[in-house]
Structures are given as C-alpha cells and as structure tokens.
Amino acid sequence: MSSQLQISQCLKISVFIFVLVSVSISVVESITSPSDVRALQAFKASIKSSSIPSYSCLGSWNFTNDPCAVPRTYFTCGILCDGNRITQLSLDSPGYIGRLTPLISQLTELVKIDLGNNKFYGPIPPLNSLTKLEILILKFNYFSGSIPPSLTLLKELEIVDLSHNVLTGALPESISSMNSLTRLDLSYNKLTGSLPKKLPSNLIELAAKANSLSGSLTKSTFDGLAQLEVVELSENWLAGAIEPWFFLMPALQQVDLSNNSFTRIEIWKPTDMNSDLIAVDLGFNSIEGYLPANFAAYPLLSSLSLRYNRFRGRIPLEYSKKESLKRLYLDGNFLNGSPPDGFFNGGASVSSGSLGDNCLQKCPVSSQLCLKSQKPSSICQHAYGGKPRS
Ligand SMILES: *[C@@H]1O[C@H](CO)[C@@H](O)[C@H](O)[C@H]1NC(C)=O
Ligand SMILES: *[C@@H]1O[C@H](CO)[C@@H](O)[C@H](O)[C@H]1NC(C)=O
C-alpha cells in the first residue's frame, strides 16, 4: 500500500519535472503569444509593402517564424521580447508608409513605441489598453486628427513625443491626470485652443512650438509644477500678460515664448535670489513698457532676448553689470537714451547680441552690439509723442 503510494507519488513528481523542463525549454525558444503575433502581423500588413526595404527591420519580419525565437534569424530588429510577450516596438526609419493599426492595442505588455521619422498617416488609434506604456515616440510622421483623450489614461507614460505631425484640435483637458508624464513634445503640429486648465504635475519639459495655440498663460495651468525646467511655446498665438508667477516657477531653466502675441510682462526678483533660469527668449511679441530690470536678479541668466517688441525707455544699468549675461538681444524696440558704458568699455560680460534698430543715442558703431543702425529719428520722435517731420 505504502510502496504503491510512493510509486505513484514518484510518478507524479517526475511528470511534474517533465512538464517543468518542457515549459522552460519553450520559454528559451520564446514562443510568442498568439495575440501578439496577430497584432504584429496586422501592424506590418497596414504598411505599404513597397515602402518596406528588404534591409529594414520590417523587411526581416517573416511570420513563418516565431517573432521572439532565438537565435534571431528573422525579426532581427524592431521588436523586443520579454518571455513570450512583445515589450518594445521600436522601428528604424526607412520611410515606412502606412496607418497605425488599432490592433496595436493588443500588445498589452508594450513599454515603448517608437515609430519616429517615417511616413505613418491617419489617426493615432486608441491605445488605452497599453497600460504599461512608458514611452511613445511618433515624431516626424504625418499623423492627423486629434490627440486621443484615451492617451491620457496611460498612467505610466513618461515621455510623449508627437512633434512634427499634422495633429489638430486642442490638448485634452484630462492631460492633467498623467502623473508620470515628464516630457511632452507637441511641436510643429496644427493644434489649436488654449493650454489645458492644468498641466501634469511632474512635467519637466513642455514643448508645443509652432502650433496655433491661443489664449494666455494662466497661473492654474502651471500651478504646482515644481520640476518644470523647459517651456518651449514659440510660434503660437499666445497673448496677454506674462505675469510674475511665471518666472518664479522653482525649477525653470529655459523659456522660449518668442513669436507670439504677448503684450505685457511683469518680472519679480526670484525668491531668496534663488533660480536656475538660464535662457529667456521673448522676441517677436508685442510687449510694451520698460525693460524689466529684475531679469538681472536671476543669478544664472546667460541669454536674454527681448528683440522686436515695443519696449521703450532706457536699457537698465543692471543688464550691463550682470556677470552671467553673455547674450543680449534688445534690437527692434524703441529704447532711447544712451546705453550703459559697460557694454562698450569691457565692463559688461555680454559677448554677443544686438542693441540695434532702436532709438538709442551714442551707440558706438565700433561695437559689435551697435552694428545694426538705429531707427530713423522721425520714427523715434513719433514713438515718443513728438511730431513726425512732414
Ligand atoms: C521565411 O521563413 C521561411 C522559414 O524559415 C523560409 O523558408 C522563407 O524563405 C522565408 N521567407 C523569406 C522571404 O525570407
Ligand atoms: C519670428 O517672426 C519673425 C518676424 O515675423 C520671423 O522673421 C522669424 O523667422 C520668426 N521666427 C521663427 C523662429 O519662426
């Protein structure tokens, strides 16, 4: 009785070991999950075969073989497997032409998608089942339609680069719930509307250059963004005032708001003289008033452009005394008076820039900074309320 029991147990154990061994062999062979294989097949099928060179990643995808099988005779690049699941879809860029199939959403273990620098077109399909996705790079394609709001449900997404496409519509308001998002690049699209009421709170880099965004910069949008280092919103239709809170954001380093329609600016000195701000470009707006002397209180500021606005009055002495300041562009305004001597006698640190196309007196042409000539006096007299000469 007991020996029979032992034999049957022994049998069970050896069957168990056999199963274990064969399972681990199949793991080594990496038999790809059938639904992942179907999704990859659909993905390749939606790309024009004439745009798939034989030397390319997709050219090596041969579905008579298993995608995750090792050694990799086929599927030599484009995917990464973990066990039997696809975790990365990172293509090369020979110029694949096609749509992105919605079936991509079946690759539910994907951590990274990079289809950059190809010719994908059509909408970005809903990706809400890709709950592990951390990186989404679709830059330099022809994706159209709006940014799918379902994208904002992906709570692991850290990096989103949709730049250089033809996306339209507004940024989804629900973007504020993307708590992992640190880098967002939407530059060079056709986005409209204003910035969302609230941006994701862990954002480090916000870029939406060259779109058609309008409205103003409101405090609530940027509230609590304690890590925001880069703001790149040039070439849009943003308007209104740049208020003191903006440059007081604690981690801010680089700001480009050039080529918008801002009309006013107010700058406060940084709290405790503590700020990482290095570069500011506010050129080509319609900002009126005096140059904000308080910029000089930002300890690391090394590049400042306020060119082609409607600034008037004198150049603050502080700008010429600021040691960190290397590039200074103030050309194309209505600045008057004599510029501080420091700019010309080696007292200032500024080594490049321009003070030209203003209403300055005594800008010595021997100085690089004064190469561009000043405005005709008739324009300056008009700007300062004098009667233009007839
Ligand atoms: C695809 O793989 C099969 C099986 O390994 C092979 O016989 C066939 O030639 C391959 N096709 C191409 C186009 O390489
Ligand atoms: C900004 O606008 C000016 C004047 O319209 C234009 O010359 C310049 O190229 C623009 N800059 C960019 C980066 O588009």
Side-chain angles (χ1 to χ4, degrees):
M1 191 63 182
S2 84
S3 81
Q4 254 187 350
L5 200 82
Q6 269 182 353
I7 286 169
S8 94
Q9 262 185 349
C10 196
L11 206 72
K12 270 185 197 163
I13 287 169
S14 51
V15 164
F16 178 72
I17 287 173
F18 176 77
V19 167
L20 204 73
V21 165
S22 47
V23 162
S24 60
I25 283 173
S26 73
V27 166
V28 169
E29 285 180 345
S30 296
I31 302 306
T32 313
S33 125
S35 73
D36 278 13
V37 175
R38 280 194 300 274
L40 290 178
Q41 270 175 315
F43 175 76
K44 184 174 175 180
S46 63
I47 293 165
K48 254 192 180 167
S49 49
S50 62
S51 72
I52 304 179
S54 55
Y55 62 78
S56 66
C57 288
L58 285 185
S60 78
W61 290 17
N62 174 342
F63 289 94
T64 3
N65 304 275
D66 189 274
C68 296
V70 280
R72 290 286 184 89
T73 319
Y74 299 98
F75 297 92
T76 50
C77 57
I79 54 168
L80 214 65
C81 301
D82 183 4
N84 63 344
R85 300 300 309 272
I86 309 295
T87 55
Q88 283 198 28
L89 182 60
S90 298
L91 289 188
D92 51 348
S93 29
Y96 299 124
I97 302 172
R99 291 173 177 271
L100 178 55
T101 174
L103 289 180
I104 196 172
S105 64
Q106 291 184 1
L107 299 172
T108 53
E109 291 290 312
L110 275 181
V111 173
K112 178 177 178 181
I113 297 176
D114 183 352
L115 310 178
N117 300 83
N118 280 295
K119 293 173 181 165
F120 283 91
Y121 61 90
I124 299 171
L127 301 173
N128 42 319
S129 50
L130 305 186
T131 54
K132 299 191 173 169
L133 198 64
E134 293 172 8
I135 301 176
L136 176 63
I137 299 173
L138 303 178
K139 65 181 176 186
F140 288 97
N141 279 287
Y142 297 95
F143 284 108
S144 59
S146 53
I147 299 170
S150 60
L151 206 62
T152 65
L153 298 170
L154 304 182
K155 297 296 178 253
E156 302 297 320
L157 260 183
E158 287 170 28
I159 298 175
V160 174
D161 189 344
L162 308 179
S163 65
H164 297 271
N165 281 286
V166 281
L167 298 170
T168 50
L171 273 75
E173 284 294 340
S174 49
I175 199 171
S176 62
S177 65
M178 300 178 76
N179 288 332
S180 301
L181 194 64
T182 55
R183 296 184 195 273
L184 176 64
D185 194 345
L186 303 171
S187 301
Y188 296 94
N189 279 287
K190 298 183 180 306
L191 299 172
T192 51
S194 47
L195 291 170
K197 287 194 188 71
K198 180 89 192 72
L199 285 164
S201 54
N202 289 312
L203 213 51
I204 295 173
E205 196 173 328
L206 170 68
K209 185 183 160 105
N211 280 283
S212 298
L213 300 175
S214 55
S216 57
L217 300 179
T218 52
K219 190 166 188 298
S220 67
T221 299
F222 292 86
D223 242 2
L225 269 58
Q227 301 180 64
L228 190 64
E229 294 175 0
V230 178
V231 176
E232 166 63 87
L233 294 171
S234 63
E235 295 174 72
N236 279 289
W237 297 106
L238 298 169
I242 300 167
E243 294 170 345
W245 58 264
F246 186 83
F247 284 102
L248 296 179
M249 283 192 282
L252 210 55
Q253 294 180 12
Q254 286 182 53
V255 174
D256 187 353
L257 298 174
S258 64
N259 291 64
N260 278 286
S261 304
F262 291 108
T263 49
R264 278 178 302 126
I265 186 166
E266 191 179 348
I267 307 285
W268 286 355
K269 291 181 178 168
T271 326
D272 303 326
M273 302 300 267
N274 193 0
S275 162
D276 291 334
L277 194 65
I278 293 170
V280 173
D281 191 345
L282 301 175
F284 297 99
N285 278 283
S286 307
I287 307 173
E288 306 198 332
Y290 297 116
L291 290 177
N294 283 343
F295 267 133
Y298 287 73
L300 305 180
L301 190 67
S302 91
S303 177
L304 177 63
S305 171
L306 301 171
R307 64 198 308 227
Y308 292 93
N309 277 286
R310 295 182 191 153
F311 286 110
R312 38 199 293 129
R314 292 171 181 270
I315 299 175
L317 191 60
E318 289 91 332
Y319 286 11
S320 69
K321 290 185 165 171
K322 184 159 181 53
E323 269 177 37
S324 64
L325 196 58
K326 307 293 179 206
R327 298 173 78 248
L328 179 64
Y329 285 88
L330 301 177
D331 48 322
N333 285 288
F334 296 92
L335 303 173
N336 69 0
S338 302
D341 286 338
F343 287 126
F344 315 117
N345 62 17
S349 302
V350 173
S351 58
S352 65
S354 178
L355 307 178
D357 199 4
N358 275 297
C359 298
L360 295 171
Q361 287 121 37
K362 298 191 209 144
C363 201
V365 283
S366 57
S367 166
Q368 191 85 8
L369 291 174
C370 300
L371 279 186
K372 202 187 292 176
S373 58
Q374 299 297 312
K375 285 184 165 65
S377 59
S378 58
I379 290 181
C380 292
Q381 278 169 12
H382 184 61
Y384 283 93
K387 290 197 178 78
R389 275 180 230 156
S390 52

